[in-house]
Amino acid sequence: MNRLCDSMEPKVMDDDMLKLAVGEQGPQEEAGQLAKQEGILFKDVLSLQLDFRNILRIDNLWQFENLRKLQLDNNIIEKIEGLENLTHLVWLDLSFNNIETIEGLDTLVNLEDLSLFNNRISKIDSLDALVKLQVLSLGNNQIDNMMNIVYLRRFQCLRTLSLSGNPISEAEDYKMFICAYLPDLVYLDFRRIDDHTKELAEAKHQYSIDELKHRENLMQVRLQDERARQEELEKHKTAFVEHLNGSFLFDSMYAEDSEGNKLSYLPGVSELLEAYKDKFVIICMNIFEYGLKQQEKRKIELDTFSECVHEAIQENQEQGKRKIAQFEEKHLSSLSAIREESELPNIEKMILECSADVSELFNELMMLEMQLVEQLEETINMFERNIVDMVGLFIENVQSLMAQCRDLENHHHEKLLEISISTLEKIVKGDLDEDLPDAPASLFVDKDTIVNAVGASHDIHLLKIDNREDELVTRINSWCTRLVDKIHKDEIMRNRKRVKEINQYIDHMQSELDNLEYSDILD
């Protein structure tokens, strides 16, 4: 059921092995010779065959980033690994190896055909990322639990399944169970499933399937709700106001405030806290709603900027294309005239004129690029001023609202201190109407103790407010800086790329002229 290490040494997947395999499978004859001379880039390889090579470990495949088909069957591989960069892989054959666990496939989101035939696998799992999976071969393994079949229900594209040679294939209900739980399956163990078998299987397992569908629907609803919550949270994070649409900040102030929680038992403090919380949450909601509106304005500003840049580049490119088209029309005509000319002085003169046309085109294209650079520089600078102003105004207004939160906290602190000292005086005089619970009673030793307790609670609250404000300001400033830096860097890269394109084109045209041989012309 598995391959053992025979007399051959276990092999390492190194560059030499990979180059040899690519060379063997590459184009032959003239194209193959050219490829060998110039070298084949691994990133250009679409199919790779590495079977029967005694490979023990998958390694060094990170350069094959565009690979579509990988054949690793009939080796001695023990672990699925080293495939994380092969995100374009569609077909993977790992049959006839010594693999015990399905793993290492999380990035292969485009995989459609997977063969793990003849290994040591006992459980079907860790395939969740393979949403496009159509063909799964797991025959001749050690799978013995029919519940593994239920796991495969999540793969909506799965049409072909092979499990023969596993302990579960010996079960009396094997075929019916699979047909019932995987109703979209077309082929099982290399045989087409007929409609009559599907109907019998559905009838036999109807109750269990209905119950499973109900559980799956509930799970799907929960997943959708969780996904919606996460998307909403990401939207709030983008606006830098997450968790400000409620009492989260207020609750966090008391989460670690043991003294404040003790003081909440004092007579009159419950009503004070309730009023404080209501006002505090209103301010948080104001920050939250303001943040979402400002985020929408920033998005509009960024979208408008991106559209302006795109239009400017597109218009500039169109002008460049027109100039090149005009040049090429004239250039081809000039080359034809040169070939028809028999007088050498005239040929030399015409070549010089063509060379002058090439230089003129270069100057025109570079002038266009310089105009675009100046236009985009002005647009970028204007956007930078606008976005910095928007961020500055947002921070200023948020800080003003946060100051209101601090004012509320200061007011609450004063009121709480008054109640605490008044309670202490009543305790001393014996005028307190009812005994305090043990928790707050421990604070009423003397005035210093109660003042320190109220002060400690106040400090915790202010620190929470300050930290949330600092976090918001730091994050939006960092976002603004990164955005502006990226825009400037992208423009520099665009300009360099365009200048390189112009130079390459002009060099090519000039090279054509330089290589023009008089003997060929005269012939």
Side-chain angles (χ1 to χ4, degrees), residues 271-317:
E271 294 81 2
L272 183 69
L273 263 177
E274 189 175 342
Y276 174 33
K277 182 176 181 178
D278 289 344
K279 293 176 182 177
F280 193 96
V281 170
I282 288 172
I283 296 173
C284 288
M285 285 299 300
N286 289 339
I287 297 172
F288 175 78
E289 290 168 2
Y290 174 68
L292 292 183
K293 289 177 182 177
Q294 289 302 302
Q295 165 59 17
E296 187 60 31
K297 288 182 179 179
R298 291 193 296 271
K299 183 178 181 300
I300 292 171
E301 182 70 23
L302 181 57
D303 289 346
T304 303
F305 163 75
S306 300
E307 188 177 343
C308 288
V309 169
H310 176 72
E311 288 177 358
I313 293 173
Q314 195 170 34
E315 183 181 347
N316 188 274
Q317 287 176 342

Side-chain angles (χ1 to χ4, degrees), residues 458-470:
H458 180 50
D459 290 342
I460 289 173
H461 298 175
L462 289 177
L463 183 62
K464 287 286 185 181
I465 296 169
D466 291 345
N467 286 346
R468 184 61 180 93
E469 180 184 324
D470 290 343

Side-chain angles (χ1 to χ4, degrees), residues 143 154 369 380 520:
I143 300 164
R154 68 194 66 199
E369 176 57 22
I380 290 170
D520 292 340

Side-chain angles (χ1 to χ4, degrees), residues 317-328 361 364-365 368:
Q317 287 176 342
E318 291 299 322
Q319 291 181 41
K321 287 177 182 177
R322 285 196 294 271
K323 289 186 179 297
I324 289 172
Q326 292 168 2
F327 162 79
E328 288 185 345
L361 176 65
E364 288 177 348
L365 292 177
L368 273 177

Side-chain angles (χ1 to χ4, degrees), residues 103-284:
E103 59 187 330
L105 303 172
D106 293 341
T107 61
L108 308 187
V109 294
N110 290 299
L111 200 65
E112 296 177 4
D113 191 317
L114 173 63
S115 178
L116 289 163
F117 188 86
N118 213 96
N119 278 279
R120 303 173 179 177
I121 296 165
S122 59
K123 183 179 181 182
I124 306 175
D125 63 357
S126 302
L127 295 170
D128 299 49
L130 279 53
V131 293
K132 297 182 180 180
L133 190 64
Q134 297 178 19
V135 179
L136 178 60
S137 177
L138 282 165
N140 282 18
N141 276 282
Q142 299 171 9
I143 300 164
D144 58 4
N145 190 336
M146 293 292 280
M147 287 300 104
N148 283 278
I149 306 304
V150 178
Y151 170 78
L152 295 175
R153 284 175 61 82
R154 68 194 66 199
F155 302 101
Q156 298 179 4
C157 299
L158 187 64
R159 296 295 179 267
T160 301
L161 177 65
S162 168
L163 287 168
S164 60
N166 283 280
I168 58 169
S169 65
E170 303 299 323
E172 183 180 348
D173 199 32
Y174 166 71
K175 186 175 182 180
M176 286 294 179
F177 188 91
I178 291 177
C179 292
Y181 280 84
L182 302 177
D184 295 325
L185 208 61
V186 178
Y187 295 95
L188 175 62
D189 297 332
F190 310 106
R191 292 187 178 182
R192 188 176 181 87
I193 304 169
D194 60 76
D195 292 338
H196 180 62
T197 300
K198 288 185 177 183
E199 290 170 3
L200 290 175
E202 182 182 0
K204 183 175 183 180
H205 293 273
Q206 183 174 1
Y207 178 78
S208 299
I209 294 294
D210 288 345
E211 188 177 350
L212 179 60
K213 283 181 179 178
H214 177 67
R215 291 200 302 271
E216 287 175 341
N217 289 336
L218 291 177
M219 180 62 72
Q220 185 64 25
V221 169
R222 282 198 292 270
L223 287 173
Q224 288 173 351
D225 289 345
E226 180 59 27
R227 194 177 298 120
R229 281 194 294 271
Q230 287 299 321
E231 289 174 358
E232 194 72 6
L233 179 59
E234 286 304 314
K235 178 183 174 184
H236 299 167
K237 285 182 176 179
T238 304
F240 309 101
V241 292
E242 70 277 10
H243 303 309
L244 287 173
N245 56 331
S247 63
F248 181 85
L249 180 56
F250 185 88
D251 295 339
S252 72
M253 286 160 44
Y254 281 88
E256 301 168 10
D257 180 14
S258 58
E259 309 294 1
N261 287 316
K262 291 175 184 177
L263 292 167
S264 66
Y265 289 100
L266 297 183
V269 172
S270 177
E271 294 81 2
L272 183 69
L273 263 177
E274 189 175 342
Y276 174 33
K277 182 176 181 178
D278 289 344
K279 293 176 182 177
F280 193 96
V281 170
I282 288 172
I283 296 173
C284 288

Side-chain angles (χ1 to χ4, degrees), residues 46 83 330 375 388-389 393 490:
L46 300 181
L83 303 175
K330 181 182 177 183
Q375 182 182 355
V388 168
D389 288 346
L393 179 63
D490 287 349

Side-chain angles (χ1 to χ4, degrees), residues 61-73:
L61 292 174
W62 59 272
Q63 296 179 77
F64 293 84
E65 55 192 62
N66 292 306
L67 200 65
R68 300 290 192 276
K69 181 177 180 180
L70 177 59
Q71 197 168 333
L72 284 166
D73 59 284

